[in-house]
Amino acid sequence: MSSMNIPQSSYPRVVIIGGGFGGIALAKKLSKKEAQVVLLDKHNYHNFQPLLYQVSTGGLEPDSIAYPIRKVLQGYPNFFFRLAQVKEVKTDTKRIKTNIGEIFYDYLVVATGSETNFFGNKNIKAKGMAMKTIPQSLNLRSLILENFEQALLTDDLHERDALMNFVIVGGGPTGVELAGALAEIKKGILPKDYPDLDTRRAQINLVQGGDRILPAMSEKASEKAEKFLEELGVNVWKNIRVTDYDGKKVTTNTKTIFEAETLVWAAGVKAVGLKGLDVRELLSRDNRLKVNEFHQIVGLEDVFAIGDVAQMVTEEFPHGHPMMAQPAIQQGRNLGDNLVLLMDGKPMKPFVYKDKGSMATVGRNKAVVDLPKFRFQGVFAWFVWMFVHLYFLIGFRNRVVVFINWVYNYIRFDREARLIIRPFKKQNKVEKNTLMQD
Amino acid sequence: MSSMNIPQSSYPRVVIIGGGFGGIALAKKLSKKEAQVVLLDKHNYHNFQPLLYQVSTGGLEPDSIAYPIRKVLQGYPNFFFRLAQVKEVKTDTKRIKTNIGEIFYDYLVVATGSETNFFGNKNIKAKGMAMKTIPQSLNLRSLILENFEQALLTDDLHERDALMNFVIVGGGPTGVELAGALAEIKKGILPKDYPDLDTRRAQINLVQGGDRILPAMSEKASEKAEKFLEELGVNVWKNIRVTDYDGKKVTTNTKTIFEAETLVWAAGVKAVGLKGLDVRELLSRDNRLKVNEFHQIVGLEDVFAIGDVAQMVTEEFPHGHPMMAQPAIQQGRNLGDNLVLLMDGKPMKPFVYKDKGSMATVGRNKAVVDLPKFRFQGVFAWFVWMFVHLYFLIGFRNRVVVFINWVYNYIRFDREARLIIRPFKKQNKVEKNTLMQD
């Protein structure tokens, strides 16, 4: 037995760091091949990030959009999962240091994904909310609900408004979808839950630095999404950059300020780096690892990167592929095929990204879809959005439960998963250490 | 506006502390009457405790067995919920002190329920796991999964066995149901999830102080439940009391010891007391408030207690009614009617408990049911158990989601909600403060 109790094998060992879309797609490709696959992740589950905003807004349970990694690759004899935090990669000796020991690799694939990028703004990082992981999404859910409970208690109108004022920074899909969901909660749930509070005063502000929301989509989609948001009562602010936040006041590069107890930062992501691969020449501006058309990290033949953490510069994508699920999945599959070719001594096939389009949902019957050949918005787009998300969700049970929830929420105009299971405010103020067990 | 921003009303104010089975049943009864109802709870959700063990064992998501309290009583104009922790009750001035301010009551109903009783054993409290709340159940789920991940890593057979050794103390329904569920996981899931671990060595021990498990049920039920547990491979230990636990070794009042990294304490509950009502004469041995046949706390005409926290001594129940959902629900309803009579100046009706029977489930197709007139065990009992639990679960969506999960788990011999969302071990060792947000 080698370190981490992974048995010696006559097959070459492929170590994958990260069980996101890319890592899982790759592991599946390799699962029946002549390779020993070791997947490392600090969580024991794969997390379907595109639906995190529905967890934050009480529409879905967190367990429905997560899936045990062990279960994805159950039954494959050459597959090994280890719950581990990677500390360092040593490319000279082909070893990885983790919190549970060291491991040797023949081929290493970095699929660590991305995290929220606050662009160095410490105040926003400290006082704002991010929404890139399940615990973060649950924290946001708690905070939103706690704010309304607190708004009930104060007679200070100024304070009450600030508690019901939401500033979402970033007009990409995450910001748009969260703003839309909050607007629906404001309309459908708050008046019933808080009849003694004038919830019409609740404000949802979406702040976008550029001149249109959903800038990665077509202009038609941006336009329509903005119209949908306005119909729902969201205040869309364009050409404004948020510059600072002290937990109460949001300042911008213009005269506009917001007094808000909740700021959600969805304005940027950066790749999750690894010690040992943090050489300046390897990294792009947003911390991504520069790779060639075979996903090989520049200068390293047996180390690869896929998904959000990889930057493959092409004519069409001079800054790398979009940091989304689709490129990660396609890259994982391509690399799976290529690793088999490489082990057989055959030439690898360069990666070609097939753009399957992109989409975002704003609210019930309101979505925008850009396919390579068609663009459409509205009810049909909304059904397509739901179908595609159910299709890519891992696990039959998850699909059924999510589907049931969506049907229920649609018919009842409701979102029932609005529980403060882990109080966020309290935890971050007085009772930090005790509350988790209570 | 009075304190806590609850408007003045011409109706008398009934303050209910606790949104469990009793508190909710009472609030529902009063919701359309001429009374202002204020419900205080430290959580914003009602929690269906009988199914907590399924959360701990990955069979159900926590959100499916919880329900927003505001939603239960949505639409009733005289109902007010406040998320509050009660600090003290002042019966002389009829005021309640909470973390969000003071409030006056005309009638006070204490429905604070019960918590785990470690009978003063500090070591067991510190090192053992309880399972009375949703966060506790999630902690147990994390710990079980973390133990198996850790068992994979060690070559020390002794340590590995301890990580896979489970000691459940207490042979009541909670202990029996948890032991049965763990045994099913051992059989159906562990071999697939951990093919490189000899999971047959995992041991599930149920330790009961008395001479039979399920002592509150019929002897036939006890006998059959024990047989079911043994079929599933659970080691049932009777006439043994656990005396101490240092986190590694479980000592008992006999020569038997267990080396186990997991001890679940399900051997007792005690009422949750309140400052101001903690007079020795008012309290029973297990901290319950002594009440008369109208649920009035002895010596206090306008203060009532229902559910686990109340002890109404009758001929049939010399130590009070069982601390379970049924008595709490019936007491809540009875008190609701009585408060209306009291406000109208009419005589109240004494509480008469209708025993609807009790039941426990051990595993698939294996349950025991004692009805007042029938007793049965096995497949039919199991269906009855499921039907009754679905019936009493609050919320249509919850029922559908729980039902879907049960069907899925039954057909697939699976439990998919096995995610370590909040690592328990780590949190309690090195990284206590940071992990909740990660």
Side-chain angles (χ1 to χ4, degrees):
Chain A
M1 301 284 261
S2 75
S3 60
M4 291 193 195
N5 270 352
I6 292 165
Q8 300 277 357
S9 164
S10 56
Y11 296 148
R13 178 183 289 164
V14 180
V15 176
I16 307 168
I17 307 177
F21 287 108
I24 294 283
L26 170 62
K28 276 185 175 172
K29 267 280 178 184
L30 291 176
S31 56
K32 288 175 183 166
K33 306 294 181 190
E34 295 188 337
Q36 186 187 54
V37 180
V38 177
L39 179 60
L40 308 177
D41 198 298
K42 61 178 175 170
H43 297 298
N44 77 334
Y45 55 87
H46 167 80
N47 152 13
F48 194 76
Q49 291 189 14
L51 291 176
L52 283 176
Y53 81 97
Q54 297 214 1
V55 170
S56 293
T57 51
L60 292 175
E61 292 100 340
D63 301 62
S64 310
I65 64 159
Y67 200 81
I69 291 175
R70 289 195 174 281
K71 190 157 167 59
V72 182
L73 291 145
Q74 233 178 34
Y76 295 120
N78 299 322
F79 174 75
F80 297 88
F81 172 74
R82 288 295 179 271
L83 188 67
Q85 184 108 36
V86 173
K87 301 287 183 194
E88 189 178 353
V89 173
K90 295 183 170 177
T91 52
D92 49 347
T93 52
K94 301 183 80 161
R95 296 187 77 84
I96 303 164
K97 278 177 76 173
T98 79
N99 64 328
I100 58 167
E102 283 198 15
I103 187 172
F104 173 84
Y105 64 82
D106 292 297
Y107 301 99
L108 171 64
V109 182
V110 182
T112 44
S114 59
E115 61 189 355
T116 303
N117 191 352
F118 293 95
F119 302 105
N121 193 316
K122 282 180 192 161
N123 291 339
I124 295 177
K125 188 174 176 180
K127 303 284 180 180
M129 307 293 286
M131 203 181 65
K132 279 286 283 181
T133 69
I134 285 184
Q136 284 172 350
S137 304
L138 287 172
N139 285 342
L140 180 56
R141 180 175 90 178
S142 289
L143 178 66
I144 294 167
L145 293 162
E146 287 170 302
N147 279 346
F148 281 98
E149 294 295 337
Q150 207 179 320
L152 266 178
L153 302 177
T154 179
D155 284 324
D156 180 338
L157 198 66
H158 200 70
E159 189 190 340
R160 200 191 292 163
D161 282 349
L163 285 161
M164 301 200 293
N165 198 4
F166 297 86
V167 175
I168 299 158
V169 189
T174 305
V176 167
E177 291 178 339
L178 180 63
L182 282 174
E184 290 195 332
I185 287 177
K186 176 187 168 183
K187 202 175 149 196
I189 295 171
L190 297 182
K192 282 187 249 165
D193 263 12
Y194 302 95
D196 36 343
L197 196 64
D198 186 358
T199 53
R200 288 168 303 179
R201 295 184 67 96
Q203 294 294 320
I204 295 126
N205 300 290
L206 181 66
V207 183
Q208 166 69 332
D211 61 356
R212 63 180 176 114
I213 59 169
L214 300 177
M217 293 184 72
S218 64
E219 294 209 7
K220 178 77 187 160
S222 302
E223 212 173 279
K224 201 78 189 203
E226 188 175 336
K227 195 171 147 280
F228 286 151
L229 283 171
E230 274 163 6
E231 280 171 22
L232 286 169
V234 173
N235 310 320
V236 180
W237 305 81
K238 290 180 292 188
N239 297 310
I240 292 189
R241 280 175 204 284
V242 167
T243 50
D244 209 355
Y245 181 51
D246 65 0
K248 301 269 179 199
K249 189 189 284 183
V250 184
T251 47
T252 68
N253 63 341
T254 68
K255 279 181 183 165
T256 307
I257 59 158
F258 302 92
E259 311 227 355
E261 292 266 343
T262 313
L263 176 139
V264 182
W265 186 259
V269 292
K270 62 177 178 190
V272 176
L274 281 176
K275 200 179 158 192
L277 293 172
D278 47 2
V279 188
R280 203 177 182 83
E281 295 81 61
L282 298 180
L283 297 174
S284 77
R285 247 187 347 175
D286 42 4
N287 210 31
R288 296 169 93 178
L289 289 161
K290 294 179 188 168
V291 297
N292 65 15
E293 68 269 39
F294 308 114
H295 300 109
Q296 279 167 318
I297 292 177
V298 175
L300 296 167
E301 276 198 356
D302 39 22
V303 184
F304 302 79
I306 54 174
D308 286 5
V309 77
Q311 191 196 49
M312 185 189 294
V313 174
T314 64
E315 219 164 283
E316 202 187 345
F317 298 101
H319 303 294
H321 296 100
M323 291 163 91
M324 298 194 314
Q326 264 305 317
I329 294 170
Q330 293 182 27
Q331 289 173 7
R333 289 178 185 160
N334 171 261
L335 180 56
D337 291 336
N338 274 340
L339 284 175
V340 174
L341 291 171
L342 189 63
M343 292 174 206
D344 290 350
K346 292 176 188 159
M348 296 190 284
K349 287 176 188 160
F351 175 70
V352 181
Y353 177 55
K354 282 196 194 92
D355 184 6
K356 296 191 173 174
S358 55
M359 48 181 75
T361 195
V362 182
R364 54 190 297 123
N365 302 334
K366 291 182 175 71
V368 293
V369 174
D370 285 357
L371 296 186
K373 295 190 180 175
F374 304 97
R375 283 166 191 174
F376 46 98
Q377 301 89 28
V379 181
F380 181 63
W382 188 68
F383 276 99
V384 169
W385 180 91
M386 286 199 292
F387 175 79
V388 168
H389 280 75
L390 282 177
Y391 179 81
F392 280 103
L393 197 61
I394 296 180
F396 176 74
R397 192 200 63 100
N398 281 356
R399 286 179 193 155
V400 173
V401 170
V402 168
F403 179 71
I404 297 277
N405 274 294
W406 284 350
V407 170
Y408 181 85
N409 297 348
Y410 186 76
I411 296 171
R412 299 284 298 261
F413 288 81
D414 208 342
R415 287 151 196 265
E416 285 192 353
R418 41 186 200 273
L419 318 169
I420 308 173
I421 287 185
R422 309 187 304 166
F424 178 75
K425 281 197 164 179
K426 256 180 159 177
Q427 156 205 332
N428 281 277
K429 285 176 187 162
V430 274
E431 296 173 40
K432 237 177 195 172
N433 298 338
T434 54
L435 256 146
M436 286 186 69
Q437 299 185 66
D438 156 79
Chain B
M1 300 286 262
S2 76
S3 62
M4 290 192 195
N5 270 354
I6 292 164
Q8 300 276 356
S9 163
S10 55
Y11 297 147
R13 178 183 289 165
V14 181
V15 176
I16 306 169
I17 307 177
F21 287 108
I24 293 284
L26 170 61
K28 277 185 174 172
K29 267 280 176 186
L30 291 176
S31 56
K32 289 174 183 168
K33 307 293 180 190
E34 295 187 336
Q36 186 187 56
V37 180
V38 178
L39 180 60
L40 309 177
D41 199 298
K42 61 177 175 170
H43 297 298
N44 77 334
Y45 56 87
H46 167 81
N47 152 13
F48 193 76
Q49 291 189 14
L51 290 177
L52 283 177
Y53 81 97
Q54 296 213 2
V55 171
S56 294
T57 51
L60 292 176
E61 292 101 341
D63 301 63
S64 311
I65 64 159
Y67 200 80
I69 291 175
R70 289 197 175 278
K71 188 155 169 62
V72 182
L73 292 144
Q74 231 178 33
Y76 296 120
N78 299 321
F79 174 75
F80 297 88
F81 172 74
R82 289 295 180 270
L83 188 68
Q85 183 109 36
V86 174
K87 302 285 184 197
E88 189 177 354
V89 173
K90 294 180 170 180
T91 53
D92 50 346
T93 52
K94 300 184 80 159
R95 295 189 77 83
I96 303 164
K97 277 177 74 173
T98 79
N99 65 328
I100 58 166
E102 284 198 15
I103 186 172
F104 173 83
Y105 64 82
D106 292 297
Y107 301 99
L108 171 65
V109 182
V110 182
T112 44
S114 59
E115 62 189 355
T116 303
N117 191 352
F118 294 95
F119 302 104
N121 192 316
K122 282 179 193 162
N123 291 340
I124 295 177
K125 188 174 177 182
K127 303 284 181 179
M129 306 293 287
M131 204 181 65
K132 278 287 282 181
T133 68
I134 285 184
Q136 284 173 350
S137 304
L138 287 173
N139 285 343
L140 180 56
R141 180 175 91 176
S142 289
L143 179 66
I144 294 168
L145 293 163
E146 287 171 300
N147 279 346
F148 280 100
E149 294 294 338
Q150 207 179 322
L152 266 181
L153 302 177
T154 178
D155 284 324
D156 180 337
L157 199 65
H158 200 71
E159 189 190 341
R160 198 189 295 162
D161 282 350
L163 284 162
M164 301 198 294
N165 198 5
F166 297 86
V167 175
I168 300 158
V169 190
T174 304
V176 167
E177 291 178 338
L178 180 62
L182 282 174
E184 290 195 334
I185 287 178
K186 176 188 166 181
K187 202 177 149 193
I189 294 170
L190 296 183
K192 282 187 250 165
D193 263 12
Y194 301 95
D196 36 343
L197 196 65
D198 186 359
T199 53
R200 289 167 304 181
R201 295 184 67 97
Q203 295 293 318
I204 295 126
N205 299 289
L206 181 66
V207 183
Q208 165 70 330
D211 61 355
R212 62 181 177 113
I213 58 169
L214 300 177
M217 293 186 70
S218 65
E219 294 209 9
K220 179 74 188 163
S222 302
E223 211 175 279
K224 201 77 190 203
E226 188 176 334
K227 195 173 148 279
F228 286 152
L229 284 171
E230 275 164 6
E231 281 171 21
L232 286 169
V234 173
N235 311 319
V236 180
W237 305 81
K238 292 179 291 188
N239 298 309
I240 292 188
R241 278 176 205 285
V242 167
T243 51
D244 210 354
Y245 181 50
D246 65 1
K248 300 270 179 195
K249 190 189 280 184
V250 183
T251 47
T252 67
N253 64 340
T254 69
K255 280 182 184 163
T256 307
I257 59 159
F258 303 92
E259 311 228 355
E261 291 267 342
T262 313
L263 176 140
V264 182
W265 187 258
V269 292
K270 63 178 179 191
V272 176
L274 281 177
K275 202 179 157 190
L277 293 172
D278 47 0
V279 190
R280 203 176 182 81
E281 296 80 62
L282 297 181
L283 297 174
S284 77
R285 246 190 345 173
D286 42 4
N287 210 32
R288 296 170 93 177
L289 289 160
K290 293 177 187 168
V291 297
N292 66 15
E293 69 269 40
F294 308 114
H295 300 109
Q296 280 167 317
I297 292 177
V298 175
L300 296 167
E301 276 197 357
D302 39 21
V303 184
F304 302 78
I306 54 173
D308 287 5
V309 77
Q311 191 195 50
M312 183 188 294
V313 173
T314 65
E315 221 166 279
E316 202 187 343
F317 298 101
H319 304 295
H321 297 100
M323 291 162 90
M324 297 194 314
Q326 264 306 315
I329 294 170
Q330 293 182 30
Q331 290 173 8
R333 290 177 183 160
N334 171 261
L335 181 57
D337 292 336
N338 274 341
L339 284 175
V340 174
L341 292 170
L342 188 65
M343 292 174 205
D344 291 349
K346 292 177 188 160
M348 297 191 285
K349 287 176 187 157
F351 175 70
V352 181
Y353 176 55
K354 282 197 195 93
D355 184 6
K356 296 192 173 172
S358 54
M359 49 181 75
T361 195
V362 182
R364 55 191 296 126
N365 302 334
K366 291 183 174 70
V368 293
V369 174
D370 284 357
L371 296 186
K373 294 189 179 173
F374 303 96
R375 285 169 190 171
F376 46 97
Q377 301 90 27
V379 181
F380 181 64
W382 189 67
F383 277 98
V384 170
W385 180 91
M386 285 199 292
F387 175 80
V388 169
H389 281 74
L390 282 178
Y391 180 82
F392 280 101
L393 197 60
I394 296 180
F396 176 72
R397 193 200 62 100
N398 281 354
R399 285 179 195 155
V400 174
V401 171
V402 168
F403 179 71
I404 296 277
N405 273 294
W406 284 350
V407 170
Y408 181 85
N409 296 349
Y410 186 77
I411 295 170
R412 299 283 299 260
F413 289 81
D414 209 342
R415 288 151 195 265
E416 285 192 355
R418 42 183 198 275
L419 318 170
I420 308 173
I421 286 184
R422 310 188 303 165
F424 177 76
K425 282 198 162 178
K426 256 180 162 180
Q427 154 204 336
N428 281 276
K429 284 175 189 164
V430 272
E431 296 172 40
K432 239 176 192 169
N433 299 338
T434 52
L435 258 145
M436 282 185 73
Q437 298 186 66
D438 162 72

